[in-house]
Amino acid sequence: WQATLKPFGSPSLPRSAPTARSHPCFEHELLAAGARDSMAGSGGGKGRGRGGAVGGGGVRKRGRGHGGGTMVWKPKEPAEASSSSAASTALPAPAPAVVVKKRLLGFDFDCTLTVRHFYKVFAWGYAQGNLSAHPHCRYFAEWCEEQKISSKMEGCVEDDMVMDALENFCQGAGEAGFREAFREVFLGGSARIEMVAAWLAKMQRQGVEFAIVTAGVSASV
């Protein structure tokens, strides 16, 4: 025991000090250390030294082994939790639902959705027979002249001016004639209609709803 402590720089024990052979506690500790070393060691020699150290790939506590290697004692690290393996097998979290916020977009009708004032052309110009009542009446009169359709209302107004004017015009030009006049004179033609329709469809896909805000008669619109 004294010879074992000398290589580590410890002074020799006095003669009266208890040794491993004379003290049961030291003997028990030495035997237990030797058992741990022999279980942990791996390598070439048997590794039985005076202090219970093992050689080769063994673990050295005290003393010198005979296996040709010197090892440093390291406590065994606890096994890592299996959270990583559990996380790999766990199902992915569902993606949050996309909530589309609905918005309301209001349009004026005359000179916004239309390029010319629909109400004033029919209520002031066509119904009253006064094509100079508004500058936009001139474009309507030119189209009617090309189509050989009367640009002035026949008869008198009985109920609502604009509604009576539209009914009278449809009777003379037919529904197809009214549709053509509305597209060409008031909506700006096929190219503008396609452009506005594409933009409205795009906004509708984004959750936008539409409304028409007008001081005119809603039935005529």
Side-chain angles (χ1 to χ4, degrees):
W1 179 255
Q2 296 178 10
T4 303
L5 292 178
K6 284 182 180 180
F8 293 91
S10 300
S12 300
L13 294 175
R15 293 175 179 267
S16 60
T19 62
R21 296 183 178 277
S22 61
H23 200 291
C25 295
F26 287 153
E27 183 179 2
H28 176 74
E29 180 184 358
L30 185 61
L31 292 176
R36 288 195 301 269
D37 294 340
S38 59
M39 290 178 64
S42 61
K46 295 183 179 180
R48 182 176 180 181
R50 296 183 61 184
V54 298
V59 180
R60 176 171 182 164
K61 280 185 73 67
R62 295 191 181 109
R64 296 179 180 177
H66 300 283
T70 302
M71 303 298 294
V72 179
W73 172 261
K74 293 184 179 180
K76 185 178 180 182
E77 297 181 358
E80 295 182 358
S82 59
S83 58
S84 59
S85 59
S88 60
T89 57
L91 295 177
V98 178
V99 179
V100 179
K101 295 182 179 180
K102 290 189 175 183
R103 295 169 290 174
L104 178 64
L105 182 60
F107 291 98
D108 179 41
F109 185 72
D110 288 314
C111 299
T112 301
L113 291 179
T114 68
V115 295
R116 296 184 176 94
H117 210 294
F118 181 79
Y119 178 86
K120 291 180 180 180
V121 167
F122 275 95
W124 296 1
Y126 182 80
Q128 299 180 25
N130 182 11
L131 298 179
S132 62
H134 192 274
H136 293 169
C137 294
R138 177 172 62 88
Y139 301 97
F140 175 72
E142 292 175 355
W143 184 89
C144 290
E145 185 177 355
E146 293 176 358
Q147 304 297 321
K148 301 184 181 314
I149 300 173
S150 174
S151 59
K152 296 180 181 180
M153 178 178 172
E154 298 177 0
C156 60
V157 176
E158 295 179 359
D159 188 10
D160 182 83
M161 185 177 295
V162 69
M163 291 300 299
D164 290 347
L166 290 173
E167 290 179 3
N168 185 271
F169 181 81
C170 289
Q171 288 176 2
E175 292 185 2
F178 171 76
R179 181 176 182 274
E180 186 68 18
F182 187 68
R183 288 173 59 89
E184 297 299 326
V185 178
F186 296 99
L187 291 181
S190 299
R192 182 178 182 273
I193 291 173
E194 292 177 0
M195 178 185 68
V196 173
W199 186 83
L200 292 174
K202 176 183 176 181
M203 299 303 293
Q204 188 178 42
R205 289 192 296 269
Q206 297 178 8
V208 178
E209 296 181 354
F210 309 106
I212 295 177
V213 183
T214 179
V217 180
S218 60
S220 65
V221 172

